[in-house]
Amino acid sequence: MVHHPPAAQANASASTIVEPILTTPLVRLLVASLGALGSFYLLMPVVPLYAVGTGAGGVGAGLTTGVLMLGTVLTELAAPALIRRCGYRTVVALALVLLGAPAIVLLASSWPPVVLGVCLLRGAGLGIVFVAGAALAAELAPDARRTETLGHYGAAVGIPSIIFLPMGVWLSRHVGFAPVFVIGAALAMLSLMAVRGLPARSSRVEPAPTGVVRDPIDMGGLARPMVVFAAVALVAGVLLTFLPLSLSASSPGLAAVALLVQSCTTPLARWAAGRYGSRYGARLLLPAVIAVVGGTAGLACVHGPLAVIACVALFGIGFGVAQNVTLALMFDRVARSGYPRVSMLWNLAYDAGMGVGAVGFGLLVAPIGYSAGFALTAAVLLTVLVPAWREWRRFPPAQGEPDG
């Protein structure tokens, strides 16, 4: 005998259906993003080597990265308006073309102005990918699983750095620069096939908010997570730039292992933060900052290989969690029409924090040394424990957790 559930129970069951994360549009976005970032990371360490090999010297090598990031930041500022005017599908396609096509030009000319022009165009493509990718991932996510979707997206886009950064250097040494430029162009251009299935514009209707109507951008609600993430990114700029230099004399092999550990732990932590973000939300931010502080401070006083690896892993975990939590918080506090601008602000906090950290530490390291510099960096980060703690207090406790 078959028992049919009451109508109320059936309705309740229907309301608890979990919407899938990996929809076809999101998979296409991941393919496009992985192709774009694979192209970027493959050539990022190779173009400076190419510049040095053609006689540009250390100044020329530095300019290639500087111009690349200049193009990135300038385009990040313009990306929200570009998305609003042209739609997601068009700007993602433009980004892939800007990352892919200029790489072929390097086959024809090594003249420094041409190389810098290529870097500027590729930086522009990268800026669009950063802003449009995160905004569209949030757009495509089910409302109840946005944090989890951002965790999946963040973990996926961390993979290219693990694979393609070392691959570019290895290939350039063993097969030459030309094949690397061709592969970098192909990764981006072939990814154009995934763009066809992306939405041109948002097709979702934003529900009318109850009570107070949110502005598309509420800077009051965005300031704390932005400041916290910028400070964490500052530490990342210091460690990723100067940790290899601090270890180069005593343990050059350890530097490579440490960076690999960081490259792996950060996307894994970003995924985990997304997986549990709907339950713990902003309460993950304070432990993330503490982990970054602990890992950075540890590097100031430890010297054994295992201790260094442990400190870098602790930093990587905190960095990954902070990435996902701050981005999710910022998306949660704006209307859907504000997603592109939120993505732009978050990416600017990332880039500016890393840049300020690297430059500031570079000015300090000569007079005070690496150990004191790492300790001072950790001390600077202590200042954002207060806004992180306020976010922790603001977020309701998880179900079953006593309210402290």
Side-chain angles (χ1 to χ4, degrees), residues 116-168:
L116 294 179
V118 168
C119 292
L120 187 67
L121 291 174
R122 284 175 51 81
L126 181 67
I128 295 173
V129 169
F130 282 160
V131 174
L136 186 52
E139 178 77 39
L140 295 172
D143 289 333
R145 305 185 73 185
R146 184 178 301 117
T147 300
E148 190 175 356
T149 303
L150 291 172
H152 281 72
Y153 179 79
V157 298
I159 294 173
S161 66
I162 301 172
I163 298 173
F164 291 104
L165 274 174
M167 181 185 293

Side-chain angles (χ1 to χ4, degrees), residues 26-55:
L26 185 62
V27 171
R28 288 180 175 272
L29 173 63
L30 287 172
V31 171
S33 298
L34 290 173
L37 294 174
S39 174
F40 165 69
Y41 284 116
L42 185 75
L43 267 62
M44 185 182 180
V46 171
V47 174
L49 293 173
Y50 180 65
V52 170
T54 56

